[in-house]
Amino acid sequence: MARHIYVHNPFCARKCPYCDFYSITDSSLCEGFYRAAEKEVRLLRSAAGTDAGTNPGTDRYGRDTVYFGGGTPSLPNSRYVASLLRTIREVFDLSPDSEMTIEANPSSLAPDKLSDYREAGFNRISLGVQSLDDEVLKTLGRLHDSQGAIDALFMIREAGFTNVSADLITGVPGQTVDGIKKDLQRFYELGVKHISTYSLSLEEGTQFYDRYRNSLEDLVPPDTEREMYYETRRYLQSLGFEVYEISNSCLPGYKSIHNSSYWDSCEYFAIGAGAHGYLGDMRYGHRDDVRAYTDEMKLLSTQDYKEFLEGKRTDFKSLYVEEMLTEEDKMKEVPFLRLRTSEGIRLDEFKRRFGVEFEDVFSQAVESNIAKGLLERGKRTLRLTRSGRDLANQVMEDFL
Ligand code: SF4
């Protein structure tokens, strides 16, 4: 039975003006952080026991996954990163066919880092390209230019990685639909197998928020932004990509198994400051504080970690419980997670997992959204229609 492990690397070379993910630029904390993360892997394994996180019944791929996200996991010394992956593989005894992904930025990649990643076992790279238009990259405040991104994609290929994903941001001031199509075409030609597209959004606490909140007219108008979204979908499909989730598309055989496990309500372990996990009835997290994390992991014992996971103690500096889920909460999460996917809610699976029919539990929300043309029935599935995709958040709220 598969297990899923998320590692949050909280270091970046510089803070991008639109980003609200947790990351810091003080690299002097890096070595201590990775040492602490190695300790956390061992603590977690002995505290949680061998059956924890094995996802009985909800996992359909049956493959273990490890995902190093961030932040910029390609920024720190690759020896730290490689060593942490080796420890995870050994301690969790992961199967050799596990999907092991590392996020990388073009500005911090180098051939020797890539070869360390390969040797440690990484077999999938997700590259934060964001755009291949230099003006757009400048607006986004990225450290690389388009040539840097293209060079990185060649370097990745030369290092032997075939499972490569690229991120693209849409809705950036100055960006055009034609420019986006050009980028997608170039990704395809450069051997990218998976593309994640995100619409730029103004998040409080970011430089972009301060820059644009009083001049929203400088942003891409919502209608143009929607057009970009649909043109992106259409163009990806014309290149042979399957749009399998609101933000994710891939060529056949290249779905992200790790991300799919989230939408399938699988349990997953979390390692590192800023990382969030899900085990049993508990959604839990690590505070956005590298120092607190590193200090705490030095002192924690297996017994401390065990008592945290059992919900018996909450007096930790870094670890905290986000939510204890009831059976009803778990049912409500299903539409919230599954309606993001093109397949939608799998009604048989819901019945198997909870012992009741989805449409009996949520009859009102289902009927009203079908009547409004926002939801449609497939073969034992329920999914968003095109209009439903435009109002996805509103539809999901009806199930809460
Ligand atoms: S590199 Fe990524 S995680 Fe780091 S600040 Fe920029 S967008 Fe955020």
Side-chain angles (χ1 to χ4, degrees):
M1 281 179 287
R3 280 145 310 170
H4 306 290
I5 300 160
Y6 175 75
V7 179
H8 191 82
N9 165 87
F11 300 98
C12 283
R14 190 173 76 188
K15 194 74 195 165
C16 298
Y18 57 90
C19 173
D20 74 334
F21 291 134
Y22 174 56
S23 67
I24 59 167
T25 53
D26 183 353
S27 56
S28 69
L29 301 177
C30 215
E31 188 176 356
F33 168 81
Y34 272 88
R35 225 179 280 136
E38 298 229 4
K39 172 148 183 219
E40 187 178 19
V41 171
R42 297 182 194 282
L43 284 176
L44 178 58
R45 178 60 162 173
S46 37
T50 45
D51 286 343
T54 47
N55 294 303
T58 50
D59 199 296
R60 60 186 152 146
Y61 293 97
R63 278 175 68 189
D64 297 330
T65 68
V66 184
Y67 193 102
F68 277 53
T72 308
S74 58
L75 182 67
N77 189 320
S78 51
R79 278 186 293 120
Y80 304 154
V81 176
S83 166
L84 181 56
L85 180 63
R86 280 197 201 94
T87 302
I88 292 171
R89 293 183 62 186
E90 178 201 312
V91 169
F92 283 91
D93 192 21
L94 297 187
S95 60
D97 73 339
S98 306
E99 179 192 84
M100 290 178 268
T101 304
I102 181 165
E103 288 181 354
N105 274 343
S107 54
S108 56
L109 262 189
D112 55 333
K113 283 186 170 176
L114 285 162
S115 92
D116 284 348
Y117 301 154
R118 287 281 294 169
E119 267 172 43
F122 285 109
N123 49 24
R124 184 173 184 273
I125 294 220
S126 174
L127 191 68
V129 177
Q130 317 308 351
S131 173
L132 290 173
D133 178 323
D134 285 333
E135 284 309 309
V136 172
L137 287 169
K138 247 188 248 161
T139 304
L140 290 173
R142 299 297 300 203
L143 284 169
H144 63 273
D145 59 11
S146 57
Q147 192 54 50
I150 292 166
D151 291 347
L153 285 168
F154 275 116
M155 210 193 297
I156 287 169
R157 210 158 64 179
E158 267 163 39
F161 287 93
T162 49
N163 194 347
V164 181
S165 178
D167 289 349
L168 180 95
I169 297 190
T170 62
V172 182
Q175 198 178 31
T176 62
V177 170
D178 280 349
I180 292 170
K181 286 184 188 169
K182 239 192 256 170
D183 287 358
L184 296 173
Q185 178 69 35
R186 199 76 179 101
F187 282 161
Y188 176 69
E189 288 162 4
L190 288 163
V192 171
K193 304 292 197 308
H194 183 282
I195 298 177
S196 301
T197 51
Y198 302 101
S199 303
L200 183 67
S201 58
L202 274 197
E203 303 296 342
E204 232 176 305
T206 62
Q207 288 178 41
F208 263 32
Y209 186 80
D210 295 336
R211 193 188 303 171
Y212 290 112
R213 74 182 151 156
N214 294 321
S215 58
L216 293 179
E217 65 282 1
D218 291 343
L219 291 171
V220 171
D223 285 355
T224 313
E225 202 276 322
R226 286 323 283 166
E227 187 199 345
M228 283 178 173
Y229 176 73
Y230 281 107
E231 284 300 316
T232 301
R233 279 178 79 98
R234 252 197 297 278
Y235 200 72
L236 281 165
Q237 282 161 342
S238 75
L239 292 172
F241 282 75
E242 179 194 351
V243 183
Y244 69 101
E245 195 261 353
I246 284 180
S247 306
N248 289 284
S249 313
C250 67
L251 290 173
Y254 287 96
K255 278 184 188 163
S256 162
I257 298 173
H258 184 84
N259 288 346
S260 299
S261 74
Y262 297 151
W263 308 316
D264 283 347
S265 307
C266 294
E267 293 176 79
Y268 54 97
F269 298 109
I271 304 288
H276 300 268
Y278 172 36
L279 279 181
D281 298 335
M282 185 197 282
R283 288 207 176 269
Y284 70 103
H286 299 68
R287 292 189 204 291
D288 292 350
D289 185 337
V290 172
R291 280 199 175 84
Y293 173 77
T294 306
D295 291 348
E296 181 149 82
M297 288 306 144
K298 269 186 215 150
L299 300 175
L300 278 196
S301 66
T302 300
Q303 186 58 26
D304 295 327
Y305 212 117
K306 194 165 187 293
E307 287 174 9
F308 168 71
L309 292 178
E310 289 169 351
K312 292 183 182 154
R313 272 181 61 195
T314 53
D315 55 330
F316 296 98
K317 277 206 253 179
S318 175
L319 290 166
Y320 68 101
V321 177
E322 285 171 354
E323 203 180 354
M324 293 304 291
L325 300 176
T326 62
E327 206 62 355
E328 192 188 334
D329 294 331
K330 290 182 188 177
M331 286 190 209
K332 285 180 177 172
E333 280 193 345
V334 171
F336 188 72
L337 296 167
R338 292 296 311 165
L339 287 177
R340 297 187 57 86
T341 67
S342 55
E343 187 186 15
I345 298 156
R346 289 175 292 171
L347 301 175
D348 289 340
E349 190 189 287
F350 187 93
K351 174 85 196 288
R352 224 177 8 254
R353 189 169 161 212
F354 297 106
V356 282
E357 292 287 351
F358 182 84
E359 296 203 42
D360 289 344
V361 181
F362 298 105
S363 54
Q364 209 182 334
V366 171
E367 290 312 325
S368 70
N369 281 292
I370 287 181
K372 284 186 246 169
L374 303 177
L375 266 187
E376 65 186 3
R377 288 197 172 86
K379 213 172 149 206
R380 294 294 291 151
T381 60
L382 270 173
R383 60 188 178 224
L384 293 174
T385 59
R386 183 192 155 128
S387 328
R389 278 200 293 274
D390 287 337
L391 299 169
N393 289 340
Q394 185 189 306
V395 177
M396 287 171 192
E397 270 170 31
D398 283 351
F399 289 90
L400 292 179

